[in-house]
Amino acid sequence: MDIYQRNNITILGKGTIPMIFAHGFGCAQHMWRDIWPAFENEYKIVLFDYVGSGKSDLSAYNEERYANLNGYAEDVLDICKALKLKDAVFVGHSVSSIIGVLASLKEPSFFQSLVMIGPSPRYVNDLAYHGGFEKKDIDELLVTMEQNYEGWANFLAPVIMKNPERPQLSQELTESFCATDPTIARQFAEVTFLSDNRKDLNKVTHPSLILQCSDDIIAPLAVGLYLKANLKNSTIKIMKATGHCPHISDPQETIQLMKEYLTQLNH
Amino acid sequence: MRDIDILPLLHIMPAGCVLFDDNGIIQSVNNSLSHLLEYPSQELIGKHIEYIFTVSSRILYQTQVYPSFKLNEKVDEVALSLKSKQGKTIPVLFYCNRTVVEEKIRNVCIIVSAWERQKQMTEISEAKRVQQIVKENETLKKLKEELEIHEQQLDRQIFLLLERNQEHVQLNKVLSHDLQEQIRKIGVFSDLLQSTDELRNNSESKSHLQKIQKSVLKLQNLIRSLQLFVHLDSIEERLTQLKVEDIIKEAKKEAINGTGFNDFILEVGEISSFEGRSYQMKLLFTELFKNAIQNRNPDNRLAIHIESLLIEENMYLANNKRYRYTEHIRIKISDNGDGFENQYSSYIFGLFNKLNTKTDRVGLGLALVKHIVSYHYGTITATSEVGKGSSFIIVLPILQPK
């Protein structure tokens, strides 16, 4: 199986240290378009789409494999193996932060550090743990998604990326926005929002950066602090950026915090 | 005809209209929207646009609508739900544009209620579900046929395995008896020869004879190892919850007895209990320790380190289309020995393959280890760096398949 094609791998940058960017639920690799250029001189940039998202090979989708975040972690490991990556900086948005955790437990030598943007080990509240949602919210989300996919309205349809600063890229990065297959998107939502990986946090050995947005309903502050308390060797930065996608809403702050952290880490 | 001033009409048009800034903060709402939401408009201004959504719609907005809007500067016909002040859920369609008006960025949003659409969608979903059930039924039928074929394949494989097992039993008999007997005889007769006068005085023949005797010893050693390897399958050992710490202690003793070497440090981290066969597991650790001892670096005191971690791995090992992630233990056994080049990382597990030619071991230890790991439906990999040491990573299911 050609992993390059399966995961629509894009390799950019002039550096040698690998930096893998992993998109979250509902996105694909072009989410990183305002972030990766800031690292292209020092790093070897690896962008990809999970199987089922973006321009990945949908025929490689396996309902059993992707019914578990470990299946997604295997995508990351497959890519590291195919590209022979070692000591990579793993940058994960949202659910990908936890996918990175799982991958790092299985193949520690592939990774150097984990950068987590809006991470959450569990979205649904559980006793004293405040994840931010109730199970019924997630059930409703799945229905709402269905309502968007079943009909004519499709804001997820393929679009040509606007990228005025880098016209040469607009061609390559012509993407379908999200998983266009409703069944896959629904399963990804289910796997993401019903996941519980709290027990894996204290197993992590790699240093990690938690980028916590202000006012993020998907991963509220309490969740960020929970991660900080349970991840050894972790740093948390509370961002000025609001919402769940600081890499889109405030790329500058995201880049600056990542750079500060990585400089500190490697000195 | 004079243009009618459209601005006042904005408030009464049959659609909600909302303006918000790039941070999502509501700047203005029309009367239709505040009426729909049962909020006075002042209460909405300054709030985040998410404020008017239900929780599930907020998730969808944050994960899909907002990124799409940000990248494309517009979204059309998104089905979302609003929550009114009284807690009523209102299905709506959401349209949004990002435009610059008089040098100011305006995110303009139109919201129309969509009760009928929701009803229709629910019906479509229901119909789809029925379709799904029909499809599942068909899939089930197909699966049943496939199962039949698989069962037949499995039956043939079991048949072959049983045959193979019989051969193993016979091979074991040959190894343990017939072959050994012949070698014993060669030994006995060469001993007899050695004591004869002709040989005692002929140094050349004497040296030939000694070579024969040395080979006899080697052969006996080889056969004993092979026997151990073949024998392992034929012992019936019960699965138990292993007390791994105890097993490691015993294995250490055996490795010391077997090699006569005890000048090493063994550090063992916390290891969760898992299901397995205790004799085989002891053998596994013994062989790994012996391997570390044999390949130690003479310049350093040997240190062996064991640590473990619980992870989820796919329980299917041969069928690459099936996945079921179950709890596994990942045990890492590392040493500071001689190490080897990574190109040999699978070679070392082969039967009678050995990299270290200085030792008189036959090259069976790691093959035995791999055999035991496979017997427990696990995997083993090795990585190493010459001069730095080696690491063996064993991944085993916490519970053995029934």
Side-chain angles (χ1 to χ4, degrees):
Chain A
M1 160 113 28
D2 181 357
I3 303 289
Y4 286 79
Q5 221 176 343
R6 188 190 75 179
N7 287 99
N8 185 27
I9 297 175
T10 313
I11 299 170
L12 300 155
K14 307 175 191 83
T16 50
I17 311 164
M19 185 179 269
I20 309 167
F21 286 92
H23 66 82
F25 158 70
C27 303
Q29 61 181 272
H30 58 276
M31 296 275 79
W32 301 107
R33 65 172 185 172
D34 294 333
I35 304 292
W36 69 259
F39 297 92
E40 67 177 330
N41 286 328
E42 285 170 84
Y43 293 89
K44 172 179 176 161
I45 310 288
V46 180
L47 305 174
F48 72 96
D49 298 334
Y50 287 112
V51 170
S53 299
K55 274 171 59 177
S56 66
D57 178 3
L58 291 194
S59 70
Y61 192 79
N62 180 313
E63 259 179 63
E64 284 186 353
R65 169 166 165 149
Y66 299 102
N68 188 307
L69 291 184
N70 279 285
Y72 284 97
E74 269 189 65
D75 272 21
V76 175
L77 297 177
D78 288 344
I79 291 163
C80 291
K81 280 177 203 156
L83 268 59
K84 297 196 169 61
L85 304 181
K86 285 263 169 211
D87 300 320
V89 177
F90 180 90
V91 186
H93 172 230
S94 193
V95 67
S96 264
S97 308
I98 296 301
I99 294 171
V101 162
L102 295 174
S104 81
L105 297 181
K106 292 181 185 201
E107 293 289 356
S109 68
F110 290 1
F111 306 96
Q112 176 227 74
S113 54
L114 304 169
V115 175
M116 308 175 167
I117 303 176
S120 171
R122 179 180 162 115
Y123 297 88
V124 177
N125 299 334
D126 178 33
L127 306 170
Y129 173 83
H130 178 78
F133 300 103
E134 293 300 333
K135 173 72 169 55
K136 73 165 183 31
D137 299 326
I138 307 304
D139 293 341
E140 268 175 42
L141 168 73
L142 298 175
V143 173
T144 312
M145 283 182 65
E146 221 165 80
Q147 301 239 322
N148 274 295
Y149 286 119
E150 298 291 7
W152 49 88
N154 204 341
F155 64 99
L156 306 167
V159 287
I160 310 262
M161 295 286 307
K162 287 180 187 155
N163 206 339
E165 290 97 50
R166 299 172 158 260
Q168 76 279 8
L169 282 176
S170 59
Q171 214 45 33
E172 297 168 37
L173 295 184
T174 301
E175 301 276 351
S176 58
F177 180 68
C178 295
T180 39
D181 183 308
T183 322
I184 294 177
R186 194 199 136 96
Q187 203 188 8
F188 198 2
E190 216 172 336
V191 172
T192 298
F193 289 107
L194 298 179
S195 63
D196 184 358
N197 292 87
R198 290 174 294 171
K199 65 180 189 321
D200 295 310
L201 300 178
N202 65 5
K203 302 173 191 168
V204 174
T205 51
H206 295 83
S208 55
L209 169 66
I210 303 157
L211 291 181
Q212 173 67 48
C213 284
S214 307
D215 240 347
D216 179 358
I217 63 142
I218 311 270
L221 180 63
V223 169
L225 296 175
Y226 181 90
L227 280 155
K228 166 70 190 134
N230 288 281
L231 281 168
K232 283 169 270 180
N233 209 354
S234 63
T235 306
I236 185 166
K237 291 282 172 194
I238 315 286
M239 301 182 71
K240 287 188 210 80
T242 54
H244 188 56
C245 301
H247 55 314
I248 299 169
S249 65
D250 199 339
Q252 280 322 313
E253 192 189 7
T254 310
I255 290 166
Q256 192 201 330
L257 290 172
M258 278 175 66
K259 282 200 164 168
E260 274 173 22
Y261 175 75
L262 292 170
T263 316
Q264 213 174 12
L265 191 67
N266 297 316
H267 281 103
Chain B
M1 204 176 125
R2 201 168 61 89
D3 271 358
I4 298 169
D5 184 5
I6 202 162
L7 276 179
L9 297 179
L10 211 64
H11 277 297
I12 55 156
M13 69 178 183
C17 178
V18 53
L19 281 185
F20 60 91
D21 68 12
D22 270 355
N23 293 320
I25 304 300
I26 297 175
Q27 294 167 317
S28 177
V29 294
N30 72 347
N31 289 349
S32 310
L33 188 66
S34 64
H35 184 71
L36 185 70
L37 289 170
E38 301 161 307
Y39 276 107
S41 54
Q42 304 92 297
E43 264 185 55
L44 292 173
I45 290 165
K47 293 273 182 348
H48 196 279
I49 179 80
E50 276 176 5
Y51 185 74
I52 62 172
F53 297 142
T54 61
V55 175
S56 59
S57 286
R58 286 178 193 172
I59 303 177
L60 196 73
Y61 179 79
Q62 276 297 336
T63 56
Q64 308 207 342
V65 184
Y66 172 73
S68 179
F69 178 59
K70 188 77 187 172
L71 294 175
N72 308 319
E73 303 192 342
K74 71 182 277 236
V75 282
D76 283 341
E77 290 190 50
V78 187
L80 292 170
S81 297
L82 305 187
K83 198 165 193 96
S84 76
K85 192 170 185 181
Q86 313 299 332
K88 216 162 59 192
T89 302
I90 308 154
V92 296
L93 282 178
F94 183 89
Y95 300 74
C96 210
N97 253 351
R98 186 172 190 272
T99 39
V100 180
V101 184
E102 289 160 7
E103 289 176 31
K104 279 199 179 131
I105 291 162
R106 298 283 184 209
N107 296 309
V108 191
C109 229
I110 291 292
I111 294 170
V112 284
S113 57
W115 295 101
E116 279 310 310
R117 181 186 187 274
Q118 194 200 32
K119 243 194 258 166
Q120 236 175 37
M121 278 298 160
T122 314
E123 277 165 25
I124 292 174
S125 294
E126 209 40 60
K128 279 230 164 170
R129 246 183 285 283
V130 174
Q131 244 178 34
Q132 188 68 26
I133 292 169
V134 172
K135 214 176 113 193
E136 271 168 22
N137 246 334
E138 279 165 19
T139 321
L140 225 57
K141 259 189 218 155
K142 228 171 81 192
L143 280 177
K144 217 174 139 189
E145 282 162 26
E146 277 175 28
L147 192 68
E148 171 85 41
I149 296 167
H150 279 160
E151 265 185 309
Q152 288 170 6
Q153 274 174 350
L154 203 62
D155 183 69
R156 286 193 291 271
Q157 276 165 3
I158 290 174
F159 172 72
L160 286 179
L161 267 181
L162 287 174
E163 279 296 284
R164 190 71 52 80
N165 240 349
Q166 272 305 313
E167 287 164 13
H168 264 179
V169 171
Q170 282 163 18
L171 190 66
N172 201 12
K173 196 177 137 272
V174 172
L175 282 172
S176 60
H177 189 261
D178 306 358
L179 215 62
Q180 289 220 23
E181 180 56 18
Q182 298 310 320
I183 294 167
R184 193 189 62 82
K185 277 185 186 157
I186 296 174
V188 169
F189 284 110
S190 58
D191 282 348
L192 281 176
L193 264 180
Q194 201 177 20
S195 54
T196 56
D197 290 341
E198 293 96 314
L199 265 167
R200 227 176 263 152
N201 304 325
N202 185 336
S203 64
E204 200 187 344
S205 302
K206 201 174 160 187
S207 121
H208 287 165
L209 198 63
Q210 274 165 354
K211 276 184 187 153
I212 292 177
Q213 284 172 325
K214 213 170 154 191
S215 289
V216 166
L217 276 178
K218 264 195 185 164
L219 212 52
Q220 277 172 336
N221 197 4
L222 204 62
I223 284 175
R224 258 199 302 277
S225 305
L226 260 182
Q227 216 188 330
L228 181 66
F229 194 82
V230 176
H231 178 59
L232 209 58
D233 285 353
S234 51
I235 1 173
E236 300 240 336
E237 210 195 334
R238 231 162 35 88
L239 288 168
T240 52
Q241 275 299 320
L242 300 176
K243 293 197 182 85
V244 191
E245 272 89 357
D246 295 349
I247 287 176
I248 289 176
K249 266 183 216 155
E250 282 177 47
K252 183 187 175 187
K253 259 189 239 159
E254 298 221 348
I256 293 173
N257 286 341
T259 57
F261 180 85
N262 66 1
D263 182 30
F264 64 94
I265 311 163
L266 176 64
E267 292 172 331
V268 184
E270 198 183 314
I271 298 184
S272 313
S273 170
F274 60 93
E275 205 176 32
R277 296 171 184 83
S278 93
Y279 169 74
Q280 293 194 14
M281 280 299 154
K282 190 178 73 187
L283 199 59
L284 175 143
F285 282 107
T286 310
E287 289 303 328
L288 284 172
F289 295 159
K290 280 196 202 162
N291 180 69
I293 291 170
Q294 237 105 40
N295 297 297
R296 66 186 181 271
N297 185 332
D299 302 334
N300 295 327
R301 183 169 183 212
L302 174 64
I304 304 172
H305 183 82
I306 305 180
E307 59 186 36
S308 80
L309 196 67
L310 292 180
I311 55 173
E312 282 186 19
E313 285 292 348
N314 186 8
M315 64 173 286
Y316 286 94
L317 294 166
N319 185 342
N320 59 12
K321 289 198 185 81
R322 298 296 313 265
Y323 289 85
R324 177 173 295 180
Y325 289 94
T326 56
E327 192 134 59
H328 282 61
I329 187 164
R330 179 188 193 272
I331 307 171
K332 184 177 171 190
I333 300 113
S334 39
D335 64 51
N336 60 348
D338 271 342
F340 55 86
E341 282 177 40
N342 273 322
Q343 53 170 315
Y344 297 114
S345 58
S346 2
Y347 172 83
I348 52 169
F349 295 113
L351 207 52
F352 300 127
N353 291 350
K354 59 174 190 171
L355 294 174
N356 186 345
T357 46
K358 288 178 287 181
T359 69
D360 51 4
R361 297 188 75 198
V362 293
L364 194 95
L366 293 181
L368 207 58
V369 168
K370 185 166 167 63
H371 189 80
I372 294 169
V373 169
S374 304
Y375 206 63
H376 286 83
Y377 305 106
T379 57
I380 181 165
T381 49
T383 51
S384 186
E385 209 176 318
V386 177
K388 292 243 170 105
S390 310
S391 292
F392 291 90
I393 290 159
I394 298 173
V395 179
L396 295 165
I398 287 288
L399 292 174
Q400 286 293 312
K402 294 282 172 293

